[in-house]
Amino acid sequence: MGIDPRQIVAGVLTVTMFVMLGDMIKRQHFDSPISHVNHAGSTQSFDENTDSDKNYAVNGDGSWKEEGAVLRSCWSKSILEEPEESKGFVTFSLTNGPEYHVSQITDAVVVARYLKATLVIPDIRGSQPGDWRNFGDIYDIEKFVSSLDGVVKVVKTQPAELSTKDLAVLRIPNRVTEDYIANNIEPVFKTKGNVRLATYFPSVNMKKTRVPENEERNSVGCLAMFGTLELQQEVREVVDSIVDRLKTLSRNSDSEFVAIDLRLDMLEQKGCQGSKKCYGPEEIARFLKKLGFDKNSAVYLTQSRWDSSLDSLKGFFPKTYTKEGIMPMDKKQKFLGSDSSEYEKVIDFYVCSDSDVFVPAISGLFYANVAGKRIGAGKTKILVPDDSASVGSSMGNYISRYVAKKTHMAYSCFC
């Protein structure tokens, strides 16, 4: 008896999601603070980074630079030739939350462009069986299609004549290169005619490449990563209502709105135990207090529901909220229900991208891709926690290295 190709597709997607979760747990260290003045007064570097000594986030006197305007995109469709007639289809699914969606979209667009194939708009799949949504449930379909006009041909649904037996299922590494496509994807595509992609993440490094990519590859990748995804209207309105309320609460007391990626389930994972890749509620509270944040600052946590372990943080900052405590009442049933995990992840990602200050308590892809989105929007106040912070420490010393050293790949996409 033959194997149903649909079982192969499902199996690959399941394995890929477990690999992604493993990558989230097996985290790289945070990018360390730029420097720290110890009690003896000497300056000590906290990593062996080969970046230059210049800190782009601070002024000459060490004070934190004010944020600038939204950056101008450096990519341009004008350098791209019109796509040739489609020679087949590239399909894929978005999985595991928006921090992964950004990268999965980028890889699929780059592959489709290289193969001169038609891209099928993906569905969205959660980590639980049956957790499935249409792309348009979360993202703006028309924006996605129009943004790729002249780059790749896009269809909204998979053609009826294209069955799973016509698809070669390929696992590809995040930030796929043209050499990888030529050697590992193109031969299969030429033989089979269509491919289904499942991106895996060998690392969560989002730093600029040291060897510049060719202009077309850079333009296609940058457009896909930063110019294709926008929230559909209802989800955008929920995010805006949360952000507006928290900013109002802070500004009424002349303070700032801080979003913290702090999820208790992740802190309990083995990869976080005894490691400074992750910080708990009280550690984050003390870090912010030492840097001079006012007790009236409004704080948003990506933790979905309140837990008693968060009380220590609320003791330092009384205006601390989870989604449950700050979301408009009439939206809770849809966006905080038992089957709403994908909505919750998306809300977290975009609230953290729009806050006055972002603090990642957990290292990983969420931090890296929120940082990229903030950099493009000119929102560079991203503070990386560190136990060495002392009362009166300069915030500029704890700004993310992605910003302070301009190492994030976003700086290859924005001018």
Side-chain angles (χ1 to χ4, degrees):
M1 182 176 179
I3 298 175
D4 188 339
R6 288 175 294 183
Q7 292 177 309
I8 299 175
V9 174
V12 171
L13 288 172
T14 300
V15 169
T16 300
M17 284 190 285
F18 276 112
V19 171
M20 290 178 186
L21 289 172
D23 287 333
M24 291 175 69
I25 295 170
K26 187 180 72 177
R27 302 194 179 272
Q28 296 180 344
H29 287 283
F30 271 116
D31 50 303
S32 300
I34 306 311
S35 65
H36 170 64
V37 179
N38 63 23
H39 293 295
S42 61
T43 301
Q44 173 185 351
S45 175
F46 274 78
D47 67 357
E48 296 178 357
N49 200 297
T50 57
D51 297 330
S52 68
D53 291 334
K54 184 174 182 179
N55 183 345
Y56 293 95
V58 300
N59 296 306
D61 61 0
S63 61
W64 194 348
K65 283 184 179 178
E66 290 299 314
E67 291 182 315
V70 175
L71 299 183
R72 178 177 60 84
S73 60
C74 297
W75 68 83
S76 172
K77 287 186 182 180
S78 64
I79 69 165
L80 304 177
E81 296 180 2
E82 285 289 325
E84 298 178 17
E85 185 177 350
S86 172
K87 298 179 179 178
F89 294 89
V90 169
T91 75
F92 66 113
S93 292
L94 299 180
T95 58
N96 266 37
E99 65 270 36
Y100 286 94
H101 298 174
V102 172
S103 297
Q104 290 162 343
I105 287 285
T106 304
D107 290 328
V109 171
V110 168
V111 170
R113 171 76 185 184
Y114 186 95
L115 298 176
K116 301 179 178 63
T118 295
L119 186 70
V120 180
I121 286 184
D123 58 4
I124 300 174
R125 303 188 183 190
S127 56
Q128 300 300 319
D131 190 357
W132 176 92
R133 295 186 185 280
N134 288 315
F135 184 87
D137 290 339
I138 291 177
Y139 298 111
D140 185 329
I141 293 178
E142 298 307 321
K143 163 66 179 178
F144 182 77
V145 174
S146 64
S147 67
L148 291 173
D149 182 40
V151 180
V152 294
K153 182 179 178 181
V154 180
V155 294
K156 296 179 180 179
T157 57
Q158 183 169 307
E161 67 272 15
L162 183 62
S163 66
T164 52
K165 69 180 181 181
D166 299 320
L167 292 168
V169 182
L170 301 175
R171 293 180 69 245
I172 65 169
N174 177 41
R175 300 182 73 173
V176 65
T177 64
E178 290 188 340
D179 284 346
Y180 186 94
I181 298 171
N183 294 328
N184 298 280
I185 302 177
E186 188 173 26
V188 178
F189 181 75
K190 286 181 175 179
T191 300
K192 196 72 175 178
N194 308 286
V195 293
R196 181 171 180 81
L197 306 178
T199 300
Y200 68 93
F201 292 77
S203 76
V204 295
N205 177 22
M206 296 300 289
K207 290 186 176 182
K208 290 188 295 188
T209 57
R210 293 190 179 276
V211 179
E213 296 172 321
N214 71 60
E215 190 174 12
E216 173 167 322
R217 168 61 178 84
N218 189 61
S219 285
V220 172
C222 289
L223 169 63
M225 176 162 280
F226 297 108
T228 59
L229 287 181
E230 286 186 5
L231 297 178
Q232 57 98 324
Q233 185 176 353
E234 186 181 13
V235 181
R236 183 74 255 179
E237 287 174 354
V238 171
V239 170
D240 289 345
S241 68
I242 292 173
V243 170
D244 290 346
R245 185 177 177 192
L246 290 166
K247 286 189 175 182
T248 298
L249 285 170
S250 287
R251 287 170 183 167
N252 285 344
S253 54
D254 196 27
S255 53
E256 292 187 295
F257 152 40
V258 183
I260 304 172
D261 179 28
L262 193 158
R263 292 162 281 161
L264 297 177
D265 61 328
M266 293 306 301
L267 293 178
E268 292 167 0
Q269 296 288 348
K270 183 178 179 181
C272 273
Q273 301 301 309
S275 166
K276 287 299 93 177
K277 307 165 191 177
C278 317
Y279 289 82
E282 186 164 349
E283 292 173 302
I284 293 292
R286 293 187 182 281
F287 172 70
L288 293 177
K289 200 69 178 176
K290 287 175 181 178
L291 296 190
F293 279 87
D294 188 273
K295 69 176 183 179
N296 290 314
S297 297
V299 174
Y300 175 87
L301 304 177
T302 55
Q303 170 69 18
S304 292
R305 308 293 189 278
W306 194 262
D307 185 89
S308 59
S309 64
L310 302 173
D311 291 346
S312 57
L313 178 53
K314 196 175 184 70
F316 282 91
F317 300 98
K319 297 177 183 177
T320 296
Y321 301 91
T322 61
K323 286 179 289 296
E324 187 178 40
I326 198 69
M327 184 179 292
M329 187 64 67
D330 62 331
K331 300 296 184 181
K332 288 184 179 181
Q333 183 173 356
K334 178 173 182 177
F335 293 100
L336 290 179
S338 58
D339 61 345
S340 302
S341 62
E342 288 304 304
Y343 282 131
E344 293 188 34
K345 293 174 186 176
V346 167
I347 290 167
D348 286 337
F349 185 85
Y350 283 85
V351 170
C352 289
S353 299
D354 291 345
S355 61
D356 294 329
V357 181
F358 172 53
V359 179
I362 307 164
S363 178
L365 198 60
F366 187 98
Y367 158 48
N369 276 336
V370 166
K373 191 166 182 64
R374 291 182 65 95
I375 288 167
K379 298 177 181 292
T380 54
K381 292 184 178 179
I382 306 170
L383 293 173
V384 173
D386 190 81
D387 289 336
S388 65
S390 57
V391 176
S393 295
S394 168
M395 292 184 189
N397 287 341
Y398 299 92
I399 199 78
S400 167
R401 189 171 289 274
Y402 280 140
V403 173
K405 299 298 184 183
K406 294 191 174 182
T407 60
H408 198 284
M409 65 174 295
Y411 286 107
S412 300
C413 298
F414 294 98
C415 304

